[in-house]
Amino acid sequence: MPAYVIGNVTTLETSDELAEYRRRVGATVARYGGRFLVRGGKVDVLEGGWLPVHLTLMEFPDGGAVRAWLGSPEYQEIAALRTGSVRTELVLLENGD
């Protein structure tokens, strides 16, 4: 059953490292069967006090694929390119049925 990763990204600064991360991350996601469904865009909060900044939505075959991607050597190799420039909150959403 598909699993989804919701990311809220707060950009602290634009950098060459962040540009390199963005260039390379898609290939690491695809290697684990994932794909970006949404990568930024307009956000309208319809209810509540949540204040997302830059949202991403990724789909993977299942939660195991998400965890494998996050822990993979190829993703870990580029993760540091992102962490110096942005703060990211990631949520894994799996069907509870």
Side-chain angles (χ1 to χ4, degrees):
M1 197 165 280
Y4 300 91
V5 176
I6 301 168
N8 183 32
V9 180
T10 304
T11 301
L12 303 176
E13 62 182 61
T14 302
S15 66
D16 291 341
E17 289 83 10
L18 183 57
E20 180 68 9
Y21 172 84
R22 287 180 175 164
R23 186 182 72 75
R24 295 172 58 186
V25 70
T28 69
V29 169
R31 184 170 183 163
Y32 291 85
R35 64 187 179 117
F36 282 93
L37 299 177
V38 176
R39 203 169 183 184
K42 187 173 186 254
V43 175
D44 288 326
V45 176
L46 301 176
E47 189 173 329
W50 188 28
L51 299 173
V53 178
H54 177 92
L55 290 179
T56 61
L57 177 62
M58 295 177 276
E59 179 182 58
F60 284 84
D62 55 44
V66 172
R67 290 178 179 91
W69 165 67
L70 279 174
S72 71
E74 54 272 11
Y75 181 71
Q76 291 303 309
E77 179 181 322
I78 65 168
L81 295 171
R82 175 185 51 80
T83 57
S85 300
V86 300
R87 185 183 73 216
T88 306
E89 299 159 312
L90 294 178
V91 176
L92 171 59
L93 178 61
E94 298 178 273
N95 193 335
D97 290 342

